[in-house]
Amino acid sequence: MKIVKAKDYNDMSRKAANIISAQVIMKPHCVLGLATGSTPIGAYKQLVEWYNKGDIDFSEVSTVNLDEYKGLTRDNPQSYYYFMNENLFDHINIKKENTYLPDGTEEDSAKACADYNAVIHSMGGVDLQLLGLGHNGHIGFNEPGIAFEKETHCVNLTEQTIKANMRFFLSEKDVPRQAYTMGIKTIMSAKKILVVVSGEDKAEAVKKSFFGPITPAVPGSILQLHNDVVVVADEAALSLCEGLY
Ligand code: F6R
């Protein structure tokens, strides 16, 4: 595991965008695994800027997102489908038909998850998976206690995650209670993994995930067993890890 220290959020975003753009340059028809949430927004902005300058071409890239809320339609501004279009896909030359997220409108969870696993397998797996890190160490919507061997599955969101995600909704009751997420097994099958983390409020999660015991109680800790992980974190997020890397 490689830890890259960034000065601040902007520096983290640029460094992460550099790694994603290197992946696209090295393999134009690559499969990118993407994340939503606040942390990757800066990296997506940077990629759009470089695309506009003519530095990156996404025409052959395919993407699979980590997760989607169950029950939200694609035109719901809180859906991850909407988020990805708004923050990235609408601004670059990616072919929309090559961008995939779990189908949040599919009520049959088993079908939604099997379909998504089939998509990921048919692409030959993910070349570079981008991840954010939850305050409780979650990755995707894999909450503490999750079995490491799962592929895409339906999860009940924890109270902590519902509260953390409430900022995007009108009120707590509007936050969906379930989501479809790639499982730890899916995430660990990616050839390379890039984790982005920013802010002092994530410092505890960073220390536990990357320097603590490997345990389902801290889902991100499994990443210590992957042989090609880069964590790009800002000084604040690394503030409890001095001397550990
Ligand atoms: C997003 C996702 C989540 C977030 C995590 C951190 O697709 O699966 O695991 O990466 O909750 O979220 P932010 O970046 O908003 O702090």
Side-chain angles (χ1 to χ4, degrees), residues 39-55:
T39 318
I41 290 177
Y44 293 153
K45 268 205 183 103
Q46 184 63 77
L47 289 172
V48 169
E49 210 177 300
W50 286 335
Y51 165 72
N52 285 330
K53 283 189 178 154
D55 288 343

Side-chain angles (χ1 to χ4, degrees), residues 7-171:
K7 267 200 308 291
D8 51 23
Y9 179 78
N10 285 339
D11 189 30
M12 178 209 75
S13 300
R14 259 198 324 277
K15 285 181 161 63
N18 261 307
I19 293 169
I20 297 166
S21 113
Q23 171 68 59
V24 174
I25 290 167
M26 297 295 281
K27 185 176 175 188
H29 58 285
C30 65
V31 179
L32 298 178
L34 298 178
T36 60
S38 312
T39 318
I41 290 177
Y44 293 153
K45 268 205 183 103
Q46 184 63 77
L47 289 172
V48 169
E49 210 177 300
W50 286 335
Y51 165 72
N52 285 330
K53 283 189 178 154
D55 288 343
I56 324 176
D57 174 15
F58 291 91
S59 61
E60 292 179 57
V61 171
S62 303
T63 64
V64 281
N65 260 77
L66 277 172
D67 40 21
E68 177 61 284
Y69 287 117
K70 182 176 176 183
L72 296 193
T73 55
R74 295 186 150 190
D75 58 357
N76 185 315
Q78 304 310 333
S79 74
Y80 287 169
Y81 180 89
Y82 193 99
F83 174 103
M84 288 311 301
N85 283 337
E86 190 170 66
N87 287 289
L88 187 62
F89 301 152
D90 281 347
H91 312 289
I92 57 176
N93 66 336
I94 197 160
K95 296 188 183 90
K96 285 282 178 74
E97 64 270 26
N98 293 340
T99 66
Y100 296 89
L101 289 93
D103 182 359
T105 63
E106 174 58 66
E107 281 176 23
D108 179 345
S109 301
K111 180 173 183 325
C113 297
D115 287 353
Y116 202 56
N117 283 330
V119 165
I120 297 169
H121 290 299
S122 75
M123 290 172 154
V126 173
D127 289 298
L128 175 67
Q129 177 67 54
L130 175 64
L131 296 176
L133 185 69
H135 291 106
N136 58 7
H138 75 215
I139 49 177
F141 272 126
N142 296 284
E143 301 285 7
I146 200 84
F148 280 163
E149 65 272 20
K150 288 198 181 188
E151 293 191 84
T152 308
H153 58 288
C154 180
V155 290
N156 297 323
L157 305 191
T158 61
E159 274 311 306
Q160 193 182 7
T161 299
I162 291 167
K163 287 214 159 56
N165 290 3
M166 202 176 101
R167 65 193 194 275
F168 301 112
F169 292 83
L170 286 176
S171 74

